[in-house]
Structures are given as structure tokens and as C-alpha cells.
Amino acid sequence: SAVISQKPSRDICQRGTSLTIQCQVDSQVTMMFWYRQQPGQSLTLIATANQGSEATYESGFVIDKFPISRPNLTFSTLTVSNMSPEDSSIYLCSAPTSGLTDTQYFGPGTRLTVL
Amino acid sequence: KQEVTQIPAALSVPEGENLVLNCSFTDSAIYNLQWFRQDPGKGLTSLLLIQSSQREQTSGRLNASLDKSSGRSTLYIAASQPGDSATYLCAVRGGANNLFFGTGTRLTVIP
């Protein structure tokens, strides 16, 4: 199994500012994923982050708004830039421990509120 | 695009009842299907993973089945307890990297 931690657990931010969310996995993983869960909704994939390459973004998400770093096999960051109230969501990072056929584990999430 | 539907959206049962949650998906070309539990304001806890070649998986009071050809999965919870109260999400993995999530079933077990 994998243990995934995220910081911060929650934050309240002003419109127009940026927030960087950190994700730490207790083992080396090839792929890490960032998801968004808007209030009352299910999870939507933002991007896939592989170490040593640019993140791959899903339709509707762009690098300028959600820049991602993946400096090593255990860590990733997601920045939510120039925030608006519509960005208020739970942001979760996730990783399968050994490939796409394996169980995918999730961090506890970062609850973001934008005023 | 894969679409995942969960029925019912909410379910309330008395403690001790057995119950079934349903998940359906539109594209049967999947690697696997995973059931998660999410407590309010928290992240996801993996409950069961069923590979595309498997028919079911069991863990304690939980049993998940998969009928890939018909695009359906069920999560059976035996002898429900108040601690089972949570939102249950199913997710299917198709090609590439994405997990497609259903909208969840919010379960309340009444003591």
C-alpha cells in the first residue's frame, strides 16, 4: 500500500492569489495524479505528473492555471493560480503503487475556499 | 468518453441490514474497477479493486462483483453498521491514465 500526505489540509484564500499544494508519497511511484472535487460533485482528473517530463493536462485544464512540479519519485506540487471563487474545491493527489493495474491510493485532500 | 453512474444517489438503512450499491459504466474496455469510501471532508479510502479478468473480490463484510460485458458492478455490504455511513464511489480505469468516477452513493446506517 501507499501512504499519501498533503499540505495544507485546508486554506481560505483571496481572489487573485495563488496557492501551492504539496503531495508526498511514502514510496517511489512513477505516476502521480491530481484531481479536483467540486462541492457535491465527483472527482475530475486535472493532470498526470510523471517524474522527468511535463505534466499531461486533461481537457479543460491548462498549465498556466494549474502548474505542476514533479521533482522526484515521491513528491509533487499543484499550484492553483489567480484564484477565483469557482476554484473552491477539494484537491486530491493520488498514485498507484506499481502501475495502472494496481490499487490507486489517495491523499486526504486539500479543501480550498476562495473568497 | 466513459460515463459512470451510481444508483441510488442516497440510501438510508437500519443497522444490521444487508445492502447493495450499484455502479454502471458505458465502455466495457476497462483495466479494472475500484470501490472507494469517502467520509465527509476527507480523502478516499480504497475498499476493493477488481481486475477486468475477475468476477468478484471480498474483504471482510464487503463483496464487490464485476460483469464487464454488461458494464455493471455491485458492492454488497453485509450486516451494516453505523460506522459504514459514508459516500461510496466506484471508479473504472480505461486506457491511458484516467480513473473515471461515478457521482457516489451516500449511505446512512441508522443505529
Side-chain angles (χ1 to χ4, degrees), chain A residues 28-50:
Chain A
Q28 294 184 340
V29 294
T30 303
M31 292 180 288
M32 292 178 73
F33 305 96
W34 287 97
Y35 287 83
R36 180 175 74 181
Q37 187 176 31
Q38 294 177 300
Q41 304 293 314
S42 192
L43 280 75
T44 301
L45 181 66
I46 297 172
T48 302
N50 292 330

Side-chain angles (χ1 to χ4, degrees), chain A residues 37 42 100-101 103-104 108 111, chain B residues 32 34 38 41 43 51 93 96 102:
Chain A
Q37 187 176 31
S42 192
L100 295 179
T101 58
T103 297
Q104 188 151 330
R111 181 181 292 272
Chain B
N32 54 48
Q34 199 164 345
Q38 185 174 32
Q51 302 295 349
R93 187 186 298 287

Side-chain angles (χ1 to χ4, degrees), chain A residues 41-110:
Chain A
Q41 304 293 314
S42 192
L43 280 75
T44 301
L45 181 66
I46 297 172
T48 302
N50 292 330
Q51 194 269 337
S53 63
E54 294 288 328
T56 302
Y57 290 83
E58 297 298 307
S59 176
F61 298 96
V62 295
I63 187 171
D64 289 346
K65 176 66 174 177
F66 297 101
I68 288 172
S69 78
R70 182 81 201 273
N72 57 51
L73 291 173
T74 64
F75 187 78
S76 178
T77 66
L78 170 75
T79 299
V80 186
S81 303
N82 188 25
M83 287 184 285
S84 67
E86 292 72 35
D87 295 320
S88 297
S89 296
I90 299 174
Y91 292 86
L92 300 106
C93 72
S94 173
T97 51
S98 61
L100 295 179
T101 58
D102 198 6
T103 297
Q104 188 151 330
Y105 295 93
F106 282 78
T110 295

Side-chain angles (χ1 to χ4, degrees), chain B residues 65-77:
Chain B
S65 69
L66 174 64
D67 183 343
K68 197 176 72 163
S69 62
S70 68
R72 294 181 183 177
S73 175
T74 62
L75 179 67
Y76 174 82
I77 301 177

Side-chain angles (χ1 to χ4, degrees), chain B residues 46-89:
Chain B
S46 178
L47 298 174
L48 288 165
L49 171 72
I50 310 178
Q51 302 295 349
S52 62
S53 59
Q54 297 174 324
R55 297 284 294 184
E56 65 179 314
Q57 283 288 328
T58 298
S59 175
R61 294 183 293 108
L62 306 179
N63 176 277
S65 69
L66 174 64
D67 183 343
K68 197 176 72 163
S69 62
S70 68
R72 294 181 183 177
S73 175
T74 62
L75 179 67
Y76 174 82
I77 301 177
S80 59
Q81 302 171 358
D84 295 331
S85 298
T87 295
Y88 290 80
L89 297 163

